[in-house]
Short mmCIF file of all heavy atoms in Angstrom, two decimals:
data_model
loop_
_atom_site.label_atom_id
_atom_site.label_comp_id
_atom_site.label_asym_id
_atom_site.label_seq_id
_atom_site.Cartn_x
_atom_site.Cartn_y
_atom_site.Cartn_z
N ALA C 184 -39.17 -81.55 -30.20
CA ALA C 184 -38.39 -81.71 -31.44
C ALA C 184 -36.92 -81.34 -31.20
O ALA C 184 -36.01 -82.03 -31.65
CB ALA C 184 -38.99 -80.85 -32.54
N THR C 185 -36.69 -80.27 -30.44
CA THR C 185 -35.31 -79.82 -30.21
C THR C 185 -34.50 -80.88 -29.48
O THR C 185 -33.33 -81.10 -29.81
CB THR C 185 -35.33 -78.53 -29.34
OG1 THR C 185 -36.24 -77.62 -29.93
CG2 THR C 185 -33.94 -77.92 -29.26
N PHE C 186 -35.10 -81.51 -28.49
CA PHE C 186 -34.32 -82.46 -27.68
C PHE C 186 -34.32 -83.87 -28.25
O PHE C 186 -33.65 -84.76 -27.74
CB PHE C 186 -34.80 -82.44 -26.23
CG PHE C 186 -34.42 -81.18 -25.52
CD1 PHE C 186 -35.33 -80.16 -25.34
CD2 PHE C 186 -33.11 -80.99 -25.08
CE1 PHE C 186 -34.96 -78.97 -24.73
CE2 PHE C 186 -32.74 -79.81 -24.47
CZ PHE C 186 -33.67 -78.79 -24.30
N GLY C 187 -35.06 -84.09 -29.30
CA GLY C 187 -34.99 -85.38 -29.99
C GLY C 187 -35.75 -86.50 -29.30
O GLY C 187 -35.45 -87.68 -29.51
N CYS C 188 -36.76 -86.17 -28.48
CA CYS C 188 -37.55 -87.21 -27.81
C CYS C 188 -38.16 -88.17 -28.83
O CYS C 188 -38.31 -89.36 -28.60
CB CYS C 188 -38.67 -86.59 -26.99
SG CYS C 188 -38.19 -85.15 -26.02
N SER C 190 -37.01 -89.40 -31.46
CA SER C 190 -36.18 -90.45 -32.04
C SER C 190 -36.34 -91.75 -31.25
O SER C 190 -35.95 -92.81 -31.71
CB SER C 190 -34.71 -90.02 -32.11
OG SER C 190 -34.19 -89.83 -30.82
N CYS C 191 -36.91 -91.68 -30.04
CA CYS C 191 -37.16 -92.90 -29.26
C CYS C 191 -38.64 -93.15 -28.99
O CYS C 191 -39.02 -94.26 -28.67
CB CYS C 191 -36.44 -92.83 -27.91
SG CYS C 191 -34.66 -93.07 -28.04
N LYS C 201 -41.56 -90.76 -34.20
CA LYS C 201 -42.03 -92.09 -34.59
C LYS C 201 -41.12 -93.19 -34.05
O LYS C 201 -41.14 -94.32 -34.53
CB LYS C 201 -42.10 -92.18 -36.12
CG LYS C 201 -43.21 -91.33 -36.71
CD LYS C 201 -43.32 -91.51 -38.21
CE LYS C 201 -42.09 -90.97 -38.90
NZ LYS C 201 -42.28 -90.66 -40.31
N GLY C 202 -40.26 -92.83 -33.06
CA GLY C 202 -39.30 -93.80 -32.53
C GLY C 202 -39.99 -94.94 -31.80
O GLY C 202 -41.13 -94.81 -31.34
N THR C 203 -39.28 -96.06 -31.73
CA THR C 203 -39.85 -97.22 -31.04
C THR C 203 -38.91 -97.78 -29.98
O THR C 203 -39.13 -98.87 -29.47
CB THR C 203 -40.18 -98.33 -32.05
OG1 THR C 203 -39.00 -98.63 -32.78
CG2 THR C 203 -41.27 -97.92 -33.01
N ALA C 204 -37.85 -97.04 -29.64
CA ALA C 204 -36.92 -97.54 -28.61
C ALA C 204 -37.57 -97.44 -27.22
O ALA C 204 -37.34 -98.27 -26.36
CB ALA C 204 -35.62 -96.75 -28.64
N GLN C 236 -32.17 -90.69 -15.25
CA GLN C 236 -31.20 -91.57 -14.62
C GLN C 236 -31.22 -91.44 -13.09
O GLN C 236 -30.79 -92.35 -12.39
CB GLN C 236 -29.78 -91.29 -15.14
CG GLN C 236 -29.61 -91.54 -16.63
CD GLN C 236 -29.66 -93.01 -16.99
OE1 GLN C 236 -29.19 -93.86 -16.24
NE2 GLN C 236 -30.24 -93.32 -18.14
N GLY C 241 -29.60 -96.39 -14.88
CA GLY C 241 -29.36 -97.45 -15.86
C GLY C 241 -30.46 -97.61 -16.89
O GLY C 241 -30.35 -98.45 -17.78
N THR C 242 -31.54 -96.79 -16.80
CA THR C 242 -32.57 -96.90 -17.82
C THR C 242 -32.00 -96.48 -19.17
O THR C 242 -30.99 -95.77 -19.24
CB THR C 242 -33.80 -96.02 -17.47
OG1 THR C 242 -34.75 -96.14 -18.53
CG2 THR C 242 -33.42 -94.57 -17.32
N ALA C 243 -32.66 -96.92 -20.23
CA ALA C 243 -32.15 -96.59 -21.57
C ALA C 243 -32.40 -95.14 -21.94
O ALA C 243 -31.83 -94.64 -22.89
CB ALA C 243 -32.79 -97.51 -22.61
N MET C 244 -33.25 -94.46 -21.21
CA MET C 244 -33.49 -93.05 -21.55
C MET C 244 -32.38 -92.19 -20.94
O MET C 244 -32.19 -92.18 -19.73
CB MET C 244 -34.85 -92.59 -21.04
CG MET C 244 -35.07 -91.10 -21.27
SD MET C 244 -36.80 -90.67 -21.32
CE MET C 244 -36.69 -88.95 -20.85
N PRO C 245 -31.65 -91.47 -21.79
CA PRO C 245 -30.51 -90.71 -21.28
C PRO C 245 -30.94 -89.39 -20.63
O PRO C 245 -31.99 -88.85 -20.96
CB PRO C 245 -29.68 -90.40 -22.54
CG PRO C 245 -30.50 -90.79 -23.71
CD PRO C 245 -31.80 -91.36 -23.25
N ASN C 246 -30.11 -88.89 -19.71
CA ASN C 246 -30.27 -87.51 -19.26
C ASN C 246 -29.93 -86.64 -20.46
O ASN C 246 -28.85 -86.77 -21.04
CB ASN C 246 -29.27 -87.18 -18.15
CG ASN C 246 -29.61 -87.91 -16.85
OD1 ASN C 246 -30.70 -88.46 -16.72
ND2 ASN C 246 -28.66 -87.92 -15.92
N LEU C 247 -30.86 -85.78 -20.86
CA LEU C 247 -30.62 -85.01 -22.08
C LEU C 247 -30.29 -83.56 -21.80
O LEU C 247 -30.26 -82.74 -22.70
CB LEU C 247 -31.84 -85.12 -23.00
CG LEU C 247 -32.11 -86.55 -23.52
CD1 LEU C 247 -33.40 -86.60 -24.31
CD2 LEU C 247 -30.95 -87.02 -24.39
N LEU N 1370 -31.67 -87.01 -39.01
CA LEU N 1370 -31.87 -86.41 -37.69
C LEU N 1370 -30.83 -85.32 -37.48
O LEU N 1370 -29.71 -85.44 -37.97
CB LEU N 1370 -31.65 -87.46 -36.59
CG LEU N 1370 -32.54 -88.69 -36.52
CD1 LEU N 1370 -31.96 -89.69 -35.54
CD2 LEU N 1370 -33.95 -88.29 -36.10
N THR N 1373 -28.03 -84.30 -32.22
CA THR N 1373 -28.13 -83.90 -30.82
C THR N 1373 -28.00 -85.15 -29.98
O THR N 1373 -28.09 -86.27 -30.48
CB THR N 1373 -29.50 -83.26 -30.51
OG1 THR N 1373 -30.52 -84.25 -30.74
CG2 THR N 1373 -29.78 -82.07 -31.41
N ARG N 1374 -27.84 -84.97 -28.66
CA ARG N 1374 -27.66 -86.10 -27.76
C ARG N 1374 -28.85 -87.07 -27.85
O ARG N 1374 -28.67 -88.28 -27.99
CB ARG N 1374 -27.51 -85.57 -26.33
CG ARG N 1374 -27.40 -86.63 -25.29
CD ARG N 1374 -26.89 -86.04 -23.98
NE ARG N 1374 -25.74 -86.81 -23.55
CZ ARG N 1374 -25.77 -87.74 -22.59
NH1 ARG N 1374 -26.89 -87.97 -21.95
NH2 ARG N 1374 -24.70 -88.42 -22.29
N GLY N 1375 -30.07 -86.50 -27.77
CA GLY N 1375 -31.26 -87.35 -27.80
C GLY N 1375 -31.35 -88.14 -29.09
O GLY N 1375 -31.63 -89.35 -29.09
N ASN N 1376 -31.10 -87.46 -30.21
CA ASN N 1376 -31.19 -88.15 -31.49
C ASN N 1376 -30.10 -89.19 -31.66
O ASN N 1376 -30.33 -90.25 -32.26
CB ASN N 1376 -31.13 -87.14 -32.64
CG ASN N 1376 -32.42 -86.35 -32.79
OD1 ASN N 1376 -33.48 -86.80 -32.34
ND2 ASN N 1376 -32.35 -85.18 -33.38
N LEU N 1377 -28.91 -88.90 -31.13
CA LEU N 1377 -27.82 -89.87 -31.24
C LEU N 1377 -28.19 -91.14 -30.48
O LEU N 1377 -28.07 -92.27 -31.00
CB LEU N 1377 -26.53 -89.25 -30.69
CG LEU N 1377 -25.31 -90.15 -30.67
CD1 LEU N 1377 -24.98 -90.62 -32.07
CD2 LEU N 1377 -24.11 -89.43 -30.06
N ALA N 1378 -28.69 -90.96 -29.24
CA ALA N 1378 -29.11 -92.12 -28.46
C ALA N 1378 -30.23 -92.85 -29.16
O ALA N 1378 -30.24 -94.09 -29.25
CB ALA N 1378 -29.54 -91.67 -27.06
N GLY N 1379 -31.18 -92.08 -29.69
CA GLY N 1379 -32.32 -92.68 -30.38
C GLY N 1379 -31.87 -93.47 -31.61
O GLY N 1379 -32.36 -94.56 -31.88
N TRP N 1380 -30.91 -92.90 -32.34
CA TRP N 1380 -30.42 -93.58 -33.55
C TRP N 1380 -29.80 -94.93 -33.18
O TRP N 1380 -30.09 -95.95 -33.80
CB TRP N 1380 -29.40 -92.69 -34.28
CG TRP N 1380 -28.71 -93.43 -35.38
CD1 TRP N 1380 -27.45 -93.95 -35.33
CD2 TRP N 1380 -29.24 -93.79 -36.66
NE1 TRP N 1380 -27.16 -94.60 -36.50
CE2 TRP N 1380 -28.23 -94.51 -37.34
CE3 TRP N 1380 -30.46 -93.56 -37.30
CZ2 TRP N 1380 -28.41 -95.02 -38.62
CZ3 TRP N 1380 -30.63 -94.06 -38.58
CH2 TRP N 1380 -29.63 -94.79 -39.23
N ALA N 1382 -30.34 -96.68 -30.57
CA ALA N 1382 -31.31 -97.59 -29.96
C ALA N 1382 -32.31 -98.16 -30.98
O ALA N 1382 -32.78 -99.27 -30.80
CB ALA N 1382 -32.08 -96.86 -28.85
N ASN N 1383 -32.64 -97.40 -32.01
CA ASN N 1383 -33.57 -97.95 -33.01
C ASN N 1383 -33.37 -97.39 -34.41
O ASN N 1383 -34.26 -96.77 -34.99
CB ASN N 1383 -35.03 -97.84 -32.55
CG ASN N 1383 -35.55 -96.44 -32.32
OD1 ASN N 1383 -36.74 -96.20 -32.21
ND2 ASN N 1383 -34.66 -95.45 -32.25
N SER N 1386 -36.22 -98.07 -36.91
CA SER N 1386 -37.49 -97.33 -36.91
C SER N 1386 -37.28 -95.97 -37.53
O SER N 1386 -38.19 -95.41 -38.14
CB SER N 1386 -38.02 -97.09 -35.50
OG SER N 1386 -37.99 -98.26 -34.77
N ILE N 1387 -36.07 -95.41 -37.34
CA ILE N 1387 -35.82 -94.07 -37.83
C ILE N 1387 -35.58 -94.08 -39.34
O ILE N 1387 -36.06 -93.22 -40.06
CB ILE N 1387 -34.64 -93.46 -37.06
CG1 ILE N 1387 -35.08 -93.20 -35.61
CG2 ILE N 1387 -34.15 -92.18 -37.71
CD1 ILE N 1387 -33.96 -92.91 -34.66
N ARG N 1399 -27.98 -103.12 -23.11
CA ARG N 1399 -28.61 -102.71 -21.85
C ARG N 1399 -28.73 -101.19 -21.84
O ARG N 1399 -27.94 -100.51 -22.51
CB ARG N 1399 -27.72 -103.10 -20.67
CG ARG N 1399 -27.77 -104.56 -20.34
CD ARG N 1399 -26.71 -104.87 -19.30
NE ARG N 1399 -26.75 -106.29 -19.00
CZ ARG N 1399 -27.54 -106.83 -18.08
NH1 ARG N 1399 -28.34 -106.06 -17.35
NH2 ARG N 1399 -27.54 -108.12 -17.87
N GLY N 1400 -29.67 -100.68 -21.02
CA GLY N 1400 -29.81 -99.23 -20.90
C GLY N 1400 -28.49 -98.58 -20.52
O GLY N 1400 -28.09 -97.57 -21.08
N SER N 1401 -27.79 -99.19 -19.56
CA SER N 1401 -26.55 -98.59 -19.09
C SER N 1401 -25.47 -98.61 -20.18
O SER N 1401 -24.63 -97.72 -20.25
CB SER N 1401 -26.06 -99.32 -17.84
OG SER N 1401 -25.92 -100.70 -18.14
N LEU N 1403 -26.11 -98.31 -23.37
CA LEU N 1403 -26.47 -97.23 -24.28
C LEU N 1403 -25.95 -95.89 -23.72
O LEU N 1403 -25.38 -95.08 -24.44
CB LEU N 1403 -27.98 -97.19 -24.46
CG LEU N 1403 -28.51 -96.07 -25.38
CD1 LEU N 1403 -28.01 -96.25 -26.80
CD2 LEU N 1403 -30.04 -96.04 -25.36
N GLN N 1404 -26.14 -95.69 -22.40
CA GLN N 1404 -25.65 -94.44 -21.79
C GLN N 1404 -24.15 -94.30 -21.99
O GLN N 1404 -23.64 -93.23 -22.32
CB GLN N 1404 -25.96 -94.40 -20.28
CG GLN N 1404 -27.41 -94.58 -19.90
CD GLN N 1404 -28.32 -93.69 -20.71
OE1 GLN N 1404 -27.99 -92.54 -20.98
NE2 GLN N 1404 -29.45 -94.23 -21.13
N VAL N 1407 -23.24 -93.48 -25.64
CA VAL N 1407 -23.51 -92.08 -25.98
C VAL N 1407 -22.44 -91.19 -25.36
O VAL N 1407 -21.91 -90.28 -26.01
CB VAL N 1407 -24.93 -91.67 -25.53
CG1 VAL N 1407 -25.14 -90.18 -25.69
CG2 VAL N 1407 -25.97 -92.43 -26.34
#
Side-chain angles (χ1 to χ4, degrees):
Chain C
T185 310
F186 289 101
C188 316
S190 65
C191 286
K201 290 184 294 201
T203 55
Q236 298 290 324
T242 178
M244 175 157 156
N246 290 347
L247 295 174
Chain N
L1370 298 169
T1373 63
R1374 177 165 233 257
N1376 286 338
L1377 177 60
W1380 171 258
N1383 62 165
S1386 311
I1387 291 167
R1399 283 172 181 273
S1401 56
L1403 179 64
Q1404 304 312 320
V1407 171

